[in-house]
Structures are given as structure tokens and as C-alpha cells.
Amino acid sequence: MRLTILSAALCLAACSGGETANNESSGGSAAVEPTPTNLIDDPRNTLVPLDPPGNGAAMSPAPLPTASPSPIAAMPADFQGRWGMVANDCDPKRDDNKGLLTIAGNRLSFYESRGSATGIRQTQPTQVAFDLPMSGEGMTWSEPTTLTLLDAGKTLVREVTGAPDRAGSFRYSRCPA
């Protein structure tokens, strides 16, 4: 039995030539998902780059949840306001602002749907998690949601879990007042 395992290990080592797959001399490289130069190239905003162009410094990763999130009655003030996926979403004169998210109280309003957050939990000073029963276009559904503030409150990342057709990560910028 030991001889069989040793023989298999030696065969594998001989086939690889003693080099690892990521060794430059082998010509291999690690698999890297391409990042768009700007999020307009990613219309569903499914890719969230860690260091977007013009940021200058690496963005810190989303904070990890605390061991025991604190239930809170209302959405914190720092999360309130208008948030856009692209600059045009923040223009109130436009009627095609499909990436606009407005947070007022515990209500989240999107282009064609809305919902009121329930079971709000503060997981970090810059992060809240909640259930979001939604309605829009004649349908109802629920989206377990986490909101995280980045860049000193200028950027909001919305993480939606649950149904695969609605799950994802969405990045917004705070609209000017």
C-alpha cells in the first residue's frame, strides 16, 4: 500500500517537471477575473473592484460581522439618503435613473420596487443587516440584505442573499445633496 502511494506521488512530481502551476518559468498564471475599467462596463454592477480607478488607495474590505449583532429600531442616519450606481442616477430631472436607491427611514425605494426593512441588526458601526420584504411590478418577494458603508460614507455596498435570481453585490455612490 505504501509503495503504491509513493509511486503515485513520484509520478505526479515527474509529470509536473518540479514546477508549480504559477511559476513564471512554466508560463502559467493564476486565474484572475477581469475587472471593468469602470462600472458602466458592468451594467448589472455584479463585479465590485477592490480598488476602483481614481481611488488612489486600496479600499478596505467589508467589515466582518460581530459575534452578536445588536438589534436596532431604525436604519442609522449615515445610511439615509439617495444613492446612485452611476452619476445619472442622482439627477432628479432624469426619468431613466434605474440604479437609484433611496433610503428614508426604514424604507428602501428602487426604480420599480420598494420595501421596508425589518429585523434590523447593527453588525458593525458601518454595517447593518436586515430582512427586506419587497414589492414591485405586481410581485412580492423577500431579500435578506446587508448594507456596508465604505470611503467614509461616500460608498454603499448592498449585498443580497437568498434567491439566486436576486442575489448579488451592488455598489452605490452617495448622491450630492
Side-chain angles (χ1 to χ4, degrees), residues 40-127:
I40 294 172
D41 294 340
D42 184 22
R44 291 197 41 143
N45 199 20
T46 55
L47 243 165
V48 179
L50 295 178
D51 190 14
N55 190 29
M59 214 181 301
S60 57
L64 296 174
T66 60
S68 57
S70 304
I72 54 177
M75 195 71 69
D78 291 344
F79 292 85
Q80 305 280 334
R82 293 169 39 93
W83 301 88
M85 289 181 145
V86 297
N88 284 343
D89 292 335
C90 292
D91 185 349
K93 296 175 191 159
R94 297 184 69 106
D95 59 356
D96 64 344
N97 50 3
K98 294 182 180 185
L100 178 66
L101 163 61
T102 303
I103 302 174
N106 291 351
R107 188 159 178 83
L108 283 77
S109 300
F110 301 88
Y111 184 70
E112 294 179 332
S113 60
R114 37 217 41 55
S116 292
T118 62
I120 305 169
R121 301 163 309 282
Q122 183 101 38
T123 56
Q124 292 288 323
T126 58
Q127 188 176 66

Side-chain angles (χ1 to χ4, degrees), residues 132-146:
L132 188 59
M134 297 284 292
S135 65
E137 299 182 331
M139 299 182 345
T140 60
W141 65 96
S142 185
E143 294 181 352
T145 302
T146 300

